[in-house]
Every structure is written in C-alpha cells, then in structure tokens.
Amino acid sequence: MAINSMVFAISRPPPLPFPSSPARFKRAVRVPFRCSTEPSPQVDSASAHETSLDAKAPEKASLLGNSAAILRAGLGGLGLLETGYLTYLKLTNSEAFCPVGGGSCSDVLNSDYSSIFGIPLPLVGMVAYGLVTLLSLQQIRKDLLSGLGEADARLLLLGTSTSMAAASGYFLYILSTKLAGTSCSYCIISAILSFGISFITLKDIGMKEVRKVLGLQLAVAGAVIAALSYSYTTAAPQFLGSNEVELEPFKTEITSTSTPWAISLAEHLHSIGAKMYGAFWCTHCQEQKQMFGKEAAKKIDYVECYPDGIGKDRKIAFECILAGVEGFPTWIINGQHIDGERELKDLAEISGFVLADSQRS
C-alpha cells in the first residue's frame, strides 16, 4: 500500500504555476503579440503603382518637348529655304518670282530697306533661321552640339525667337508706311514663320519661366528695333527703286535779287541758329532759296544732305540723320521742325522776326 502510494506520487506531474492575479495573466497573454514594422503587401503594391506613374510623367513631358522642337525645327527649315533663295536673288541681282503683287517683291528686295548696315537682310534672316533649326535639333538629339546644355539651348532659342519676332513686326511697319502700295508675299511668309517660332518657344518654355526673363526679352526686342531704326535712318529717303538712279552733286544759280527785308530775315535766322536742310536735286529747295534772293541766301545756314550725290552706296549726311530729316526742305527753327517750302512771312512769324512793314520792299 505504501509502495503504491509512492509510485502514484512519483508519476503524478507537478502542479503548473498558475498566475495568482488577473493582472499577471494579462501581462503573460500580451507578451507574445507584436506589430510588425514591415509594410503590408497591399501597401507595397500601391506604392509600386504610384512609382510607375511617376516614371511615366517625365517620359510624357519629354515627348511633348520633342514635338515642339520638331515643329520649330520644321518652321526654321522653311525659313532657311526662303531666305536662302532671297539671298541668292539679292547677291546676283536677279528678279524675284512673286505670285502676288507682280514686281513688288523685286522692288522691296532692291529698296533701301533690304539691307542692314550694308548686310543684305535675307542673309541676316538665313543666319537666324539656321540658328533656330540647329538649336531645335539639339533639343531632340542632345549630342548635336557638344557642351551646350538644355538650359543654354532654351535661353538662346528665347533670345533668337524674340529678336526675329521684333524684327518682323518692325518690317511689317516699314512695309505698310515707308513702302506703302507695294506687296511682298515673302515678307508676309517670313513674318508668319517668325511669329510661329516665337509662340512655340514661349509655349515650350512655359509662362512661369518666361516671366523670370521678361526684362531680358524686352531689352532684346528694344535693341533690335533701335538698331534697325538707326540703320534705316542712314538710308537715303528717296523714292522706291532710287538705288538705280545716279546723280552727281551740282549747283543751281539763284537769279533773284534780295530785298532788304529778306536780308534782315536771313540775318535773324542765322543769329538764332536756324538751319535749312535740303538736297541739290530738290526743286522746292531751289525755290525756297529764290524767295530769299542770291544775297540773302548766302546768309542762310544751309545743310546739304547729299554732298556726295545720290545712288548706290551713297548715304544721307550724318548731320541730317541726327536732325531727323525726312523730306526737303526741312527747317529747324528754335528746335521746331518745319517741313516743306514756306513763305518768308511764315518763317518770320515762326522765328519771331519783327520788322516794320514799310521796310518790306
């Protein structure tokens, strides 16, 4: 009996330690449970999807940029062909084919406004269109011009296209004012191409970036217009096609006799620094001098605007350019421009000359 009890006691497992309080039980139960720091498979899938979308965005922007560059290169190529043809005509003195306007295209091409500082205008346009085409191809190929980055290419394109648009606008103004009555289909086509290239460039760069360099654009456009205006004021203000006219300087004798009043008026005009600007071939200038008479005419401060004659490569005198002379004769009296032939009494009134009527004889 005792032996059985011992065996039972040995085979019986020892009692398990059980928590004596609910708090200990809760702590023991919570210990094995932890939140994993690894993202769930669902979060990984969503993140991967967003990443793939972000990767496609630059590719889409690149395609849009290439489309703009391709279109701009195409317009630049067309302009290069047009200006190349006009340059050939200008250098060979050939007649231009003009489907609209007949001979007007050749008249414009041979006018005083077809050159800038002695350089044929079509040649300048050919260089500009060629530069636009080359820079646009650089944006597509990326390795066409070594060392030229994307930012530099865009800045050059912006400056070039701004210059072309400003020049085209000025040329259209010249065509409608100085060359009124003529038509030039090549001029219109070139203006459309220039404005198109400028619009594409602005659209490609974006208005946000353009605003940062707006001051630079205005400065470039102003410099282009100022240079063109200065170049054209040095050209002879002659009738269209006058390059073909060759005239050597000559003097016309004044036959009328001056009155004392006319002599006094001429002396007064001289004393206040008044000047008469004219040309040797201008009949109105000769008539103005005849009104004064030969004695009084010698006392007038007369400026000959074509001392070397007129014709090809003969320009107006620089003093006449500074005075802003646009026609003959032109008087400048007390800073006031007086255009055209005037009666002596009008000149006296404008200059403030007063003399008794009894002396007008």
Side-chain angles (χ1 to χ4, degrees), residues 14 52 80 98 168-169 210 234 296 322:
S52 64
L80 186 61
C98 192
S168 294
V210 169
T234 62
L322 294 179

Side-chain angles (χ1 to χ4, degrees), residues 8-317:
F8 178 78
I10 294 172
S11 61
R12 185 179 180 182
L16 295 173
F18 199 80
S20 59
S21 66
R24 288 183 180 179
F25 176 75
K26 291 180 181 179
R27 286 197 297 270
V29 171
R30 283 202 302 264
V31 168
F33 297 96
R34 293 181 299 174
C35 293
S36 174
T37 57
E38 297 295 331
S40 64
Q42 293 180 350
V43 174
D44 286 345
S45 176
S47 177
H49 180 66
E50 291 177 0
T51 303
S52 64
L53 291 178
D54 293 339
K56 292 179 181 179
E59 181 180 355
K60 183 177 180 181
S62 178
L63 290 175
L64 291 175
N66 283 344
S67 298
I70 292 172
L71 181 57
R72 184 170 50 238
L75 294 179
L78 290 176
L80 186 61
L81 292 175
E82 181 202 24
T83 51
Y85 169 67
L86 294 177
T87 300
Y88 167 77
L89 296 178
K90 181 69 175 176
L91 296 178
T92 59
N93 293 322
S94 302
E95 290 292 325
F97 170 73
C98 192
V100 179
S104 296
C105 292
S106 295
D107 292 338
V108 174
L109 189 62
N110 295 322
S111 69
D112 293 323
Y113 300 99
S114 62
S115 298
I116 303 174
F117 298 109
I119 303 174
L121 183 59
L123 181 59
V124 177
M126 187 171 66
V127 173
Y129 282 117
L131 182 59
V132 167
T133 305
L134 186 61
L135 291 173
S136 299
L137 293 177
Q138 165 67 14
Q139 287 188 311
I140 301 171
R141 291 285 301 276
K142 306 298 183 185
D143 58 350
L144 190 61
L145 299 173
S146 59
L148 184 64
E150 179 68 18
D152 295 333
R154 288 195 171 197
L155 186 60
L156 285 174
L157 277 170
L158 184 61
T160 305
S161 61
T162 300
S163 302
M164 294 171 66
S168 294
Y170 189 82
F171 294 147
L172 291 179
Y173 162 76
I174 292 294
L175 190 63
S176 61
T177 55
K178 306 296 184 180
L179 303 177
T182 62
S183 61
C184 179
S185 55
Y186 295 106
C187 304
I188 303 300
I189 293 174
S190 183
I192 294 174
L193 293 175
S194 297
F195 289 133
I197 289 172
S198 180
F199 175 78
I200 293 172
T201 302
L202 293 176
K203 191 73 173 177
D204 184 30
I205 294 177
M207 295 307 300
K208 184 177 180 180
E209 296 297 326
V210 169
R211 291 192 190 98
K212 297 179 181 179
V213 292
L214 182 59
L216 178 61
Q217 282 184 278
L218 294 176
V220 169
V224 169
I225 294 176
L228 292 173
S229 179
Y230 177 79
S231 175
Y232 289 149
T233 54
T234 62
Q238 304 164 2
F239 55 88
L240 192 62
S242 59
N243 277 339
E244 301 175 359
V245 178
E246 295 284 345
L247 284 179
E248 298 298 330
F250 59 85
K251 291 185 178 181
T252 303
E253 183 182 359
I254 302 174
T255 57
S256 60
T257 302
S258 301
T259 64
W261 185 85
I263 295 176
S264 298
L265 173 60
E267 291 174 346
H268 169 72
L269 292 173
H270 173 74
S271 65
I272 63 174
K275 290 185 178 182
M276 173 186 170
Y277 296 84
F280 66 89
W281 45 266
C282 171
T283 56
H284 292 287
C285 299
Q286 303 304 324
E287 292 173 0
Q288 184 75 89
K289 292 178 181 179
Q290 291 286 0
M291 291 183 186
F292 279 94
K294 57 185 178 181
E295 295 83 9
K298 295 179 182 178
K299 300 179 180 294
I300 297 174
D301 290 330
Y302 174 76
V303 179
E304 174 57 55
C305 291
Y306 292 97
D308 299 326
I310 63 172
K312 188 175 182 180
D313 299 329
R314 302 187 188 185
K315 303 299 182 181
I316 189 173

